[in-house]
PDB file of all heavy atoms in Angstrom:
ATOM      1  N   VAL B1409    -111.438 -13.066  61.374  1.00 95.00           N
ATOM      2  CA  VAL B1409    -111.659 -13.913  60.193  1.00 95.00           C
ATOM      3  C   VAL B1409    -110.918 -15.237  60.337  1.00 95.00           C
ATOM      4  O   VAL B1409    -111.422 -16.286  59.921  1.00 95.00           O
ATOM      5  CB  VAL B1409    -111.220 -13.174  58.910  1.00 95.00           C
ATOM      6  CG1 VAL B1409    -111.166 -14.129  57.725  1.00 95.00           C
ATOM      7  CG2 VAL B1409    -112.184 -12.031  58.609  1.00 95.00           C
ATOM      8  N   MET B1410    -109.728 -15.207  60.927  1.00 97.00           N
ATOM      9  CA  MET B1410    -108.998 -16.458  61.158  1.00 97.00           C
ATOM     10  C   MET B1410    -109.819 -17.404  62.036  1.00 97.00           C
ATOM     11  O   MET B1410    -109.962 -18.591  61.729  1.00 97.00           O
ATOM     12  CB  MET B1410    -107.652 -16.170  61.830  1.00 97.00           C
ATOM     13  CG  MET B1410    -106.883 -17.423  62.233  1.00 97.00           C
ATOM     14  SD  MET B1410    -105.221 -17.091  62.870  1.00 97.00           S
ATOM     15  CE  MET B1410    -105.591 -16.087  64.318  1.00 97.00           C
ATOM     16  N   ILE B1411    -110.378 -16.862  63.113  1.00 97.00           N
ATOM     17  CA  ILE B1411    -111.190 -17.693  64.011  1.00 97.00           C
ATOM     18  C   ILE B1411    -112.484 -18.118  63.331  1.00 97.00           C
ATOM     19  O   ILE B1411    -112.888 -19.289  63.381  1.00 97.00           O
ATOM     20  CB  ILE B1411    -111.492 -16.926  65.309  1.00 97.00           C
ATOM     21  CG1 ILE B1411    -110.193 -16.662  66.075  1.00 97.00           C
ATOM     22  CG2 ILE B1411    -112.469 -17.711  66.188  1.00 97.00           C
ATOM     23  CD1 ILE B1411    -110.345 -15.738  67.271  1.00 97.00           C
ATOM     24  N   GLY B1412    -113.152 -17.154  62.675  1.00 97.00           N
ATOM     25  CA  GLY B1412    -114.432 -17.457  62.035  1.00 97.00           C
ATOM     26  C   GLY B1412    -114.318 -18.438  60.886  1.00 97.00           C
ATOM     27  O   GLY B1412    -115.075 -19.409  60.806  1.00 97.00           O
ATOM     28  N   ASP B1413    -113.376 -18.190  59.967  1.00 97.00           N
ATOM     29  CA  ASP B1413    -113.205 -19.099  58.823  1.00 97.00           C
ATOM     30  C   ASP B1413    -112.709 -20.467  59.267  1.00 97.00           C
ATOM     31  O   ASP B1413    -113.114 -21.494  58.724  1.00 97.00           O
ATOM     32  CB  ASP B1413    -112.222 -18.489  57.810  1.00 97.00           C
ATOM     33  CG  ASP B1413    -112.852 -17.376  56.993  1.00 97.00           C
ATOM     34  OD1 ASP B1413    -114.046 -17.103  57.196  1.00 97.00           O
ATOM     35  OD2 ASP B1413    -112.148 -16.777  56.152  1.00 97.00           O
ATOM     36  N   GLY B1414    -111.804 -20.470  60.265  1.00 97.00           N
ATOM     37  CA  GLY B1414    -111.318 -21.740  60.792  1.00 97.00           C
ATOM     38  C   GLY B1414    -112.443 -22.546  61.403  1.00 97.00           C
ATOM     39  O   GLY B1414    -112.550 -23.765  61.189  1.00 97.00           O
ATOM     40  N   CYS B1415    -113.314 -21.874  62.156  1.00 97.00           N
ATOM     41  CA  CYS B1415    -114.464 -22.552  62.768  1.00 97.00           C
ATOM     42  C   CYS B1415    -115.450 -23.026  61.710  1.00 97.00           C
ATOM     43  O   CYS B1415    -116.001 -24.120  61.809  1.00 97.00           O
ATOM     44  CB  CYS B1415    -115.163 -21.609  63.746  1.00 97.00           C
ATOM     45  SG  CYS B1415    -116.555 -22.371  64.598  1.00 97.00           S
ATOM     46  N   CYS B1416    -115.662 -22.194  60.684  1.00 95.00           N
ATOM     47  CA  CYS B1416    -116.561 -22.567  59.589  1.00 95.00           C
ATOM     48  C   CYS B1416    -116.112 -23.878  58.948  1.00 95.00           C
ATOM     49  O   CYS B1416    -116.917 -24.785  58.733  1.00 95.00           O
ATOM     50  CB  CYS B1416    -116.589 -21.446  58.559  1.00 95.00           C
ATOM     51  SG  CYS B1416    -117.571 -21.802  57.082  1.00 95.00           S
ATOM     52  N   THR B1417    -114.820 -23.978  58.669  1.00 96.00           N
ATOM     53  CA  THR B1417    -114.270 -25.200  58.072  1.00 96.00           C
ATOM     54  C   THR B1417    -114.383 -26.363  59.038  1.00 96.00           C
ATOM     55  O   THR B1417    -114.765 -27.481  58.657  1.00 96.00           O
ATOM     56  CB  THR B1417    -112.789 -24.983  57.691  1.00 96.00           C
ATOM     57  OG1 THR B1417    -112.692 -23.863  56.826  1.00 96.00           O
ATOM     58  CG2 THR B1417    -112.229 -26.215  56.992  1.00 96.00           C
ATOM     59  N   PHE B1418    -114.054 -26.113  60.311  1.00 96.00           N
ATOM     60  CA  PHE B1418    -114.113 -27.150  61.349  1.00 96.00           C
ATOM     61  C   PHE B1418    -115.535 -27.691  61.485  1.00 96.00           C
ATOM     62  O   PHE B1418    -115.752 -28.913  61.564  1.00 96.00           O
ATOM     63  CB  PHE B1418    -113.637 -26.568  62.677  1.00 96.00           C
ATOM     64  CG  PHE B1418    -113.571 -27.557  63.806  1.00 96.00           C
ATOM     65  CD1 PHE B1418    -112.457 -28.369  63.976  1.00 96.00           C
ATOM     66  CD2 PHE B1418    -114.627 -27.674  64.702  1.00 96.00           C
ATOM     67  CE1 PHE B1418    -112.396 -29.289  65.021  1.00 96.00           C
ATOM     68  CE2 PHE B1418    -114.577 -28.592  65.746  1.00 96.00           C
ATOM     69  CZ  PHE B1418    -113.455 -29.391  65.907  1.00 96.00           C
ATOM     70  N   VAL B1419    -116.508 -26.786  61.517  1.00 94.00           N
ATOM     71  CA  VAL B1419    -117.916 -27.184  61.639  1.00 94.00           C
ATOM     72  C   VAL B1419    -118.357 -27.990  60.422  1.00 94.00           C
ATOM     73  O   VAL B1419    -119.010 -29.032  60.556  1.00 94.00           O
ATOM     74  CB  VAL B1419    -118.815 -25.946  61.817  1.00 94.00           C
ATOM     75  CG1 VAL B1419    -120.293 -26.311  61.647  1.00 94.00           C
ATOM     76  CG2 VAL B1419    -118.595 -25.326  63.192  1.00 94.00           C
ATOM     77  N   SER B1420    -117.997 -27.534  59.234  1.00 93.00           N
ATOM     78  CA  SER B1420    -118.388 -28.233  58.002  1.00 93.00           C
ATOM     79  C   SER B1420    -117.814 -29.658  57.967  1.00 93.00           C
ATOM     80  O   SER B1420    -118.504 -30.601  57.585  1.00 93.00           O
ATOM     81  CB  SER B1420    -117.904 -27.452  56.782  1.00 93.00           C
ATOM     82  OG  SER B1420    -118.517 -26.178  56.720  1.00 93.00           O
ATOM     83  N   ILE B1421    -116.557 -29.787  58.355  1.00 95.00           N
ATOM     84  CA  ILE B1421    -115.912 -31.118  58.379  1.00 95.00           C
ATOM     85  C   ILE B1421    -116.639 -32.042  59.342  1.00 95.00           C
ATOM     86  O   ILE B1421    -116.926 -33.206  59.015  1.00 95.00           O
ATOM     87  CB  ILE B1421    -114.422 -30.984  58.784  1.00 95.00           C
ATOM     88  CG1 ILE B1421    -113.623 -30.303  57.675  1.00 95.00           C
ATOM     89  CG2 ILE B1421    -113.828 -32.370  59.101  1.00 95.00           C
ATOM     90  CD1 ILE B1421    -112.208 -29.944  58.067  1.00 95.00           C
ATOM     91  N   ASN B1422    -116.958 -31.544  60.522  1.00 95.00           N
ATOM     92  CA  ASN B1422    -117.578 -32.396  61.537  1.00 95.00           C
ATOM     93  C   ASN B1422    -119.059 -32.676  61.256  1.00 95.00           C
ATOM     94  O   ASN B1422    -119.558 -33.751  61.596  1.00 95.00           O
ATOM     95  CB  ASN B1422    -117.410 -31.763  62.920  1.00 95.00           C
ATOM     96  CG  ASN B1422    -116.001 -31.949  63.451  1.00 95.00           C
ATOM     97  OD1 ASN B1422    -115.631 -33.032  63.905  1.00 95.00           O
ATOM     98  ND2 ASN B1422    -115.194 -30.909  63.373  1.00 95.00           N
ATOM     99  N   LEU B1423    -119.741 -31.721  60.633  1.00 92.00           N
ATOM    100  CA  LEU B1423    -121.120 -32.007  60.231  1.00 92.00           C
ATOM    101  C   LEU B1423    -121.143 -33.073  59.139  1.00 92.00           C
ATOM    102  O   LEU B1423    -122.012 -33.947  59.118  1.00 92.00           O
ATOM    103  CB  LEU B1423    -121.805 -30.732  59.735  1.00 92.00           C
ATOM    104  CG  LEU B1423    -122.205 -29.701  60.798  1.00 92.00           C
ATOM    105  CD1 LEU B1423    -122.836 -28.476  60.153  1.00 92.00           C
ATOM    106  CD2 LEU B1423    -123.161 -30.319  61.809  1.00 92.00           C
ATOM    107  N   GLY B1424    -120.159 -32.987  58.233  1.00 92.00           N
ATOM    108  CA  GLY B1424    -120.047 -34.012  57.189  1.00 92.00           C
ATOM    109  C   GLY B1424    -119.757 -35.388  57.758  1.00 92.00           C
ATOM    110  O   GLY B1424    -120.183 -36.406  57.209  1.00 92.00           O
ATOM    111  N   ALA B1425    -119.052 -35.415  58.893  1.00 94.00           N
ATOM    112  CA  ALA B1425    -118.711 -36.685  59.551  1.00 94.00           C
ATOM    113  C   ALA B1425    -119.784 -37.099  60.558  1.00 94.00           C
ATOM    114  O   ALA B1425    -119.595 -38.056  61.323  1.00 94.00           O
ATOM    115  CB  ALA B1425    -117.370 -36.557  60.246  1.00 94.00           C
ATOM    116  N   LYS B1426    -120.898 -36.360  60.578  1.00 93.00           N
ATOM    117  CA  LYS B1426    -122.009 -36.639  61.493  1.00 93.00           C
ATOM    118  C   LYS B1426    -121.598 -36.486  62.963  1.00 93.00           C
ATOM    119  O   LYS B1426    -122.125 -37.169  63.844  1.00 93.00           O
ATOM    120  CB  LYS B1426    -122.581 -38.048  61.260  1.00 93.00           C
ATOM    121  CG  LYS B1426    -122.945 -38.367  59.822  1.00 93.00           C
ATOM    122  CD  LYS B1426    -124.046 -37.460  59.301  1.00 93.00           C
ATOM    123  CE  LYS B1426    -124.428 -37.836  57.859  1.00 93.00           C
ATOM    124  NZ  LYS B1426    -125.447 -36.915  57.301  1.00 93.00           N
ATOM    125  N   GLN B1427    -120.674 -35.577  63.228  1.00 95.00           N
ATOM    126  CA  GLN B1427    -120.212 -35.338  64.599  1.00 95.00           C
ATOM    127  C   GLN B1427    -120.680 -33.956  65.057  1.00 95.00           C
ATOM    128  O   GLN B1427    -119.898 -33.015  65.168  1.00 95.00           O
ATOM    129  CB  GLN B1427    -118.688 -35.453  64.677  1.00 95.00           C
ATOM    130  CG  GLN B1427    -118.172 -36.856  64.378  1.00 95.00           C
ATOM    131  CD  GLN B1427    -116.658 -36.937  64.434  1.00 95.00           C
ATOM    132  OE1 GLN B1427    -115.952 -36.001  64.060  1.00 95.00           O
ATOM    133  NE2 GLN B1427    -116.157 -38.078  64.909  1.00 95.00           N
ATOM    134  N   LYS B1428    -121.972 -33.856  65.316  1.00 94.00           N
ATOM    135  CA  LYS B1428    -122.565 -32.576  65.686  1.00 94.00           C
ATOM    136  C   LYS B1428    -122.030 -32.054  67.021  1.00 94.00           C
ATOM    137  O   LYS B1428    -121.883 -30.847  67.210  1.00 94.00           O
ATOM    138  CB  LYS B1428    -124.091 -32.680  65.734  1.00 94.00           C
ATOM    139  CG  LYS B1428    -124.743 -32.850  64.374  1.00 94.00           C
ATOM    140  CD  LYS B1428    -126.256 -32.768  64.469  1.00 94.00           C
ATOM    141  CE  LYS B1428    -126.909 -32.862  63.090  1.00 94.00           C
ATOM    142  NZ  LYS B1428    -128.385 -32.724  63.166  1.00 94.00           N
ATOM    143  N   ASP B1429    -121.760 -32.971  67.938  1.00 95.00           N
ATOM    144  CA  ASP B1429    -121.248 -32.561  69.241  1.00 95.00           C
ATOM    145  C   ASP B1429    -119.907 -31.845  69.102  1.00 95.00           C
ATOM    146  O   ASP B1429    -119.666 -30.812  69.731  1.00 95.00           O
ATOM    147  CB  ASP B1429    -121.095 -33.773  70.166  1.00 95.00           C
ATOM    148  CG  ASP B1429    -122.441 -34.335  70.597  1.00 95.00           C
ATOM    149  OD1 ASP B1429    -123.455 -33.640  70.423  1.00 95.00           O
ATOM    150  OD2 ASP B1429    -122.473 -35.474  71.098  1.00 95.00           O
ATOM    151  N   LYS B1430    -119.039 -32.404  68.265  1.00 95.00           N
ATOM    152  CA  LYS B1430    -117.719 -31.807  68.069  1.00 95.00           C
ATOM    153  C   LYS B1430    -117.843 -30.476  67.343  1.00 95.00           C
ATOM    154  O   LYS B1430    -117.090 -29.534  67.623  1.00 95.00           O
ATOM    155  CB  LYS B1430    -116.827 -32.761  67.277  1.00 95.00           C
ATOM    156  CG  LYS B1430    -115.345 -32.433  67.393  1.00 95.00           C
ATOM    157  CD  LYS B1430    -114.478 -33.544  66.852  1.00 95.00           C
ATOM    158  CE  LYS B1430    -112.998 -33.209  67.038  1.00 95.00           C
ATOM    159  NZ  LYS B1430    -112.125 -34.284  66.506  1.00 95.00           N
ATOM    160  N   ALA B1431    -118.796 -30.395  66.412  1.00 95.00           N
ATOM    161  CA  ALA B1431    -119.037 -29.130  65.707  1.00 95.00           C
ATOM    162  C   ALA B1431    -119.480 -28.055  66.696  1.00 95.00           C
ATOM    163  O   ALA B1431    -119.035 -26.906  66.635  1.00 95.00           O
ATOM    164  CB  ALA B1431    -120.087 -29.326  64.622  1.00 95.00           C
ATOM    165  N   GLY B1432    -120.345 -28.438  67.634  1.00 96.00           N
ATOM    166  CA  GLY B1432    -120.803 -27.511  68.665  1.00 96.00           C
ATOM    167  C   GLY B1432    -119.666 -27.059  69.561  1.00 96.00           C
ATOM    168  O   GLY B1432    -119.589 -25.887  69.955  1.00 96.00           O
ATOM    169  N   GLN B1433    -118.762 -27.977  69.880  1.00 97.00           N
ATOM    170  CA  GLN B1433    -117.590 -27.630  70.683  1.00 97.00           C
ATOM    171  C   GLN B1433    -116.709 -26.621  69.951  1.00 97.00           C
ATOM    172  O   GLN B1433    -116.132 -25.719  70.570  1.00 97.00           O
ATOM    173  CB  GLN B1433    -116.788 -28.887  70.999  1.00 97.00           C
ATOM    174  CG  GLN B1433    -117.497 -29.867  71.922  1.00 97.00           C
ATOM    175  CD  GLN B1433    -116.745 -31.181  72.052  1.00 97.00           C
ATOM    176  OE1 GLN B1433    -115.645 -31.340  71.541  1.00 97.00           O
ATOM    177  NE2 GLN B1433    -117.351 -32.138  72.742  1.00 97.00           N
ATOM    178  N   GLY B1434    -116.625 -26.777  68.642  1.00 97.00           N
ATOM    179  CA  GLY B1434    -115.839 -25.850  67.837  1.00 97.00           C
ATOM    180  C   GLY B1434    -116.413 -24.445  67.881  1.00 97.00           C
ATOM    181  O   GLY B1434    -115.679 -23.462  68.010  1.00 97.00           O
TER     182      GLY B1434
END
């Protein structure tokens, strides 16, 4: 859950910033 929730937040932040590549890296 730590990894999953952390990634969920990381992906949401980067999608909001239009950084799909970084979200994919996450």
Side-chain angles (χ1 to χ4, degrees):
V1409 168
M1410 174 174 61
I1411 295 172
D1413 284 359
C1415 182
C1416 176
T1417 304
F1418 184 84
V1419 168
S1420 297
I1421 290 171
N1422 284 284
L1423 286 178
K1426 308 297 182 183
Q1427 295 179 325
K1428 290 187 177 182
D1429 290 345
K1430 198 168 182 180
Q1433 293 172 6

